Amino acid sequence: MILPKKKIPPFFKKKLSHVLSLTHVIIFLILFPVHSAKISAEPLYSWSAIVETKDLLMLSSGKGVIIALIDSGIDTENPVLTSALWQNGGEIFDDGIDNDENGYIDDTNGWNFGDQNNLIKDRNGHGTNVAGILLQCAPDAKLMPLKINLGNSNTFYTNSVVDALYYAVNAGVDVINMSLSLIEESSAVKNAVQYAVNRGVMVVSAAGNSHSGITFPGTMEELITVGASTADGRAILWNSPAGRTIDITAPGKDVQTIGLGGDTAFVTGTSFSTPMISGAIAVLLGMNHALKPETIGNLIFHNAKDLGDDGRDDLFGWGLLSGKGIKESAMPSIIAVPVITKTKNVPSIFEISCYLPPTDSNTDVYIALVKNQKTDRDNYEDRDNYEDRDSYEDGDSYEDGD
């Protein structure tokens, strides 16, 4: 998965000129019944404990990362979700003008491709459920809702998915979450996904919920396909298909999340294991935005808990998402670097701890941040044993990310 680094434009400049030769065949967004929709409902188990989000969040909170949510919108009356909305800096709110000239008027927080307007309110619940899981994994990431279904239905047109993919990439997203399935393969969707992948955007898709096999676009090798497991690490055979494109697994049965109206929902299916992987990607990018997709993939896949046959298998992929495993592999090193300064010929010793996330294997980029520093002038006794800072040679080993 060696891909070129994407270039993120500040705003859209013009509408894409891609041509769609599509028949408007209705296909289905995979939605699942909510097992409970009461705030007072007790959680059946803690999925966040199973995937170890507490460990994952020690790396970052996903700040600075944009996740496109191609789904049924979000609950725009829920302050938890609205506070996480992406803001289109090139658009002036509700002025009726396409300020950024991208072909979409007042797309301040996203777009409704199903109904062709800027109303991203979720009247179905599926997108809200997915958004709630995303924010539990990466609480400071920004969400770009791209609504594709018609009204509050479970159906959508192929061209809505295609347009949403191009929109997301050109808006500068980092991750695209696709908790959906199509009845048939679409060359237009394939081209749009490839467009995203070629620009370094990570696309994450649900495997679907058919025991007969993985559904499109989860059959594409270019993206990450997610299966679902039970709380005790078993495959949900009636909800999570097996196949050679399954990459990773996460809990997908009775997952507790946000429901419409602020209620608590318990949902089942690969749609809800998928955002756990998207959230993990956001956390890694929040730690080091220079990491490339193949580096992130390796961190997630090769630190998963192996559930099936040794190594990768068609039922669980590389295994169950493990926040602890990722943390142990990706946790930045703390390196204490003594630096000598002179003030009126009196040396001061500063100990600077450099926060060094792991290097990207292709770019050798390090991000060095000062975690803490202390002055030891009062205890300084044998200053002749310290060389002037100009002679400190090892500093060249730590490159600045800029």
Side-chain angles (χ1 to χ4, degrees):
M1 203 156 67
I2 300 175
L3 302 170
K5 187 74 178 77
K6 62 176 180 167
K7 295 182 179 179
I8 301 177
F11 312 117
F12 300 122
K13 297 301 180 184
K14 60 182 178 179
K15 189 174 182 178
L16 287 169
S17 59
H18 66 277
V19 178
L20 303 179
S21 56
L22 299 170
T23 56
H24 285 208
V25 178
I26 290 183
I27 51 185
F28 294 90
L29 177 70
I30 302 299
L31 303 178
F32 301 93
V34 175
H35 300 302
S36 174
K38 302 295 183 181
I39 292 177
S40 59
E42 292 295 326
L44 304 181
Y45 69 100
S46 174
W47 63 263
S48 62
I50 291 174
V51 299
E52 301 157 336
T53 56
K54 184 177 179 180
D55 290 276
L56 199 60
L57 289 170
M58 292 179 69
L59 298 175
S60 89
S61 60
K63 187 175 182 178
V65 179
I66 305 171
I67 305 174
L69 180 60
I70 300 181
D71 216 293
S72 64
I74 68 164
D75 186 352
T76 53
E77 296 179 5
N78 188 318
V80 174
L81 300 180
T82 55
S83 64
L85 281 174
W86 164 78
Q87 299 288 331
N88 181 359
E91 200 70 31
I92 298 174
F93 176 73
D94 204 26
D95 68 348
I97 300 173
D98 181 14
N99 304 104
D100 56 9
E101 299 181 355
N102 69 335
Y104 302 96
I105 297 174
D106 291 333
D107 54 325
T108 310
N109 303 118
W111 190 253
N112 182 338
F113 291 93
D115 304 312
Q116 289 301 310
N117 57 46
N118 67 344
L119 303 178
I120 55 174
K121 183 176 182 177
D122 184 8
R123 291 182 288 163
N124 180 291
H126 188 269
T128 295
N129 300 153
V130 173
I133 297 167
L134 281 169
L135 291 179
Q136 288 187 67
C137 294
D140 288 331
K142 292 299 181 183
L143 304 183
M144 178 193 292
L146 302 177
K147 185 177 181 295
I148 57 171
N149 60 317
L150 301 166
N152 63 349
S153 70
N154 293 357
T155 60
F156 56 88
Y157 290 111
T158 306
N159 64 322
S160 296
V161 179
V162 174
D163 288 344
L165 282 162
Y166 281 109
Y167 180 101
V169 176
N170 286 275
V173 301
D174 302 289
V175 187
I176 297 176
N177 189 93
M178 300 179 71
S179 293
L180 55 85
S181 290
L182 281 67
I183 289 178
E184 296 179 351
E185 290 190 0
S186 161
S187 59
V189 172
K190 284 184 177 180
N191 291 338
V193 169
Q194 192 65 59
Y195 179 82
V197 171
N198 287 347
R199 284 154 182 80
V201 179
M202 299 197 71
V203 184
V204 187
S205 172
N209 299 282
S210 171
H211 63 274
S212 60
I214 300 170
T215 53
F216 183 81
T219 52
M220 292 186 65
E221 294 183 354
E222 292 86 349
L223 46 70
I224 293 177
T225 301
V226 185
S229 66
T230 61
D232 56 0
R234 291 179 292 113
I236 309 176
L237 297 179
W238 63 95
N239 275 120
S240 185
R244 63 184 180 82
T245 59
I246 290 283
D247 293 303
I248 191 75
T249 302
K253 186 175 187 299
D254 297 320
V255 175
Q256 183 179 7
T257 184
I258 298 173
L260 290 178
D263 287 345
T264 296
F266 295 93
V267 290
T268 293
T270 59
S271 278
F272 310 108
S273 49
T274 300
M276 299 179 197
I277 307 304
S278 296
I281 293 170
V283 165
L284 286 167
L285 286 171
M287 178 191 76
N288 184 349
H289 219 120
L291 291 177
K292 288 187 174 292
E294 67 273 15
T295 305
I296 293 172
N298 285 333
L299 284 168
I300 292 175
F301 301 155
H302 297 300
N303 288 294
K305 296 177 181 177
D306 200 347
L307 296 179
D309 296 336
D310 289 343
R312 195 211 157 273
D313 60 74
D314 287 352
L315 192 57
F316 299 102
W318 289 99
L320 179 70
L321 175 67
S322 171
K324 184 177 180 180
I326 295 171
K327 181 198 73 175
E328 290 176 351
S329 291
M331 177 62 78
S333 302
I334 305 299
I335 302 176
V337 181
V339 177
I340 312 301
T341 64
K342 287 185 178 180
T343 305
K344 294 182 179 179
N345 295 321
V346 178
S348 297
I349 307 170
F350 291 85
E351 183 179 285
I352 300 178
S353 294
C354 296
Y355 187 75
L356 300 177
T359 179
D360 186 288
S361 60
N362 291 321
T363 63
D364 293 326
V365 172
Y366 289 89
I367 306 298
L369 303 174
V370 175
K371 288 283 286 186
N372 58 67
Q373 65 178 26
K374 64 180 181 179
T375 304
D376 195 23
R377 291 184 63 183
D378 295 336
N379 297 326
Y380 182 75
E381 295 177 357
D382 191 12
R383 63 175 181 257
D384 292 334
N385 290 331
Y386 293 87
E387 299 178 3
D388 187 274
R389 61 177 174 175
D390 292 338
S391 65
Y392 187 75
E393 298 175 355
D394 286 345
D396 292 338
S397 298
Y398 310 108
E399 300 177 9
D400 189 90
D402 297 332

